[in-house]
Amino acid sequence: MHLAIAEAKKGAMAGEIPVGAILVHDGQVIGKGFNQPILSHDPTAHAEIVALRDACTRLGNYRLPPQTTLYVTLEPCTMCFGALIHARVGRIVFATFEPKSGVVGSQMNLSQMGFYNHQAMVSQGLLSCECSQMLSQFFAKRRADKRLAKQMANSTV
């Protein structure tokens, strides 16, 4: 999870919501990514999707090896969970819940639905406090920056 946090910090430095993801197979990192929909002008460029693209490109296959684990700093959304299932990720470990759009515990738990042709084990809570704090600090800074910009705009009028 420390490597996923490092990826999330890269995203925060670029002005993206700090979410990072790492794919691991047999103890080796096979893919990594951070949120970059703003940078890439791509609404699908969530950390999980970027890590999947990285791994699949490296491996030359759209399916990942059995027992691949995803470590991600925030609970996956619907889009990301679907992609993880299609790629055959064996295990998903996320740090902190996403109460608005998380789908492996917050809003629903898609990992417990029997209609998928692949099932992934899900674990949560690894370094939860650190990841939650990183997100809270990011959004607090973003709100403060917006307030400052608004004050500056009002003072020039």
Side-chain angles (χ1 to χ4, degrees):
M1 190 61 76
H2 290 289
L3 295 175
I5 291 170
E7 288 295 309
K9 288 178 180 177
K10 289 179 190 177
M13 295 296 291
E16 298 279 1
I17 295 172
V19 179
I22 299 290
L23 285 159
V24 176
H25 180 259
D26 285 341
Q28 300 295 314
V29 173
I30 61 171
K32 59 185 178 176
F34 59 87
N35 261 16
Q36 45 192 287
I38 298 167
L39 288 171
S40 65
H41 310 289
D42 179 358
T44 69
H46 290 191
E48 301 95 314
I49 302 296
V50 174
L52 282 172
R53 288 175 180 157
D54 184 37
C56 291
T57 298
R58 287 183 196 206
L59 299 173
N61 196 333
Y62 74 105
R63 296 266 166 87
L64 298 177
Q67 289 83 46
T68 296
T69 298
L70 171 80
Y71 294 91
V72 63
T73 59
L74 186 65
E75 180 182 4
C77 70
T78 307
M79 173 187 69
C80 293
F81 183 77
L84 296 167
I85 291 298
H86 286 291
R88 303 296 194 261
V89 170
R91 184 172 174 226
I92 300 165
V93 179
F94 71 92
T96 192
F97 285 101
E98 180 14 306
K100 292 182 180 181
S101 62
V103 296
V104 288
S106 290
Q107 289 298 320
M108 64 177 59
N109 196 337
L110 291 179
S111 68
Q112 294 180 347
M113 301 297 162
F115 52 79
Y116 290 111
N117 61 345
H118 173 75
Q119 299 294 312
M121 276 185 12
V122 177
S123 303
Q124 64 83 24
L126 184 61
L127 298 177
S128 175
C129 290
E130 186 173 342
C131 293
S132 180
Q133 183 177 32
M134 180 173 45
L135 285 159
S136 294
Q137 289 172 348
F138 174 83
F139 285 113
K141 182 182 181 317
R142 182 180 266 184
R143 286 188 299 275
D145 290 348
K146 283 184 180 182
R147 279 192 301 273
L148 181 60
K150 186 177 180 179
Q151 287 172 351
M152 291 181 72
N154 288 338
S155 68
T156 61
V157 174

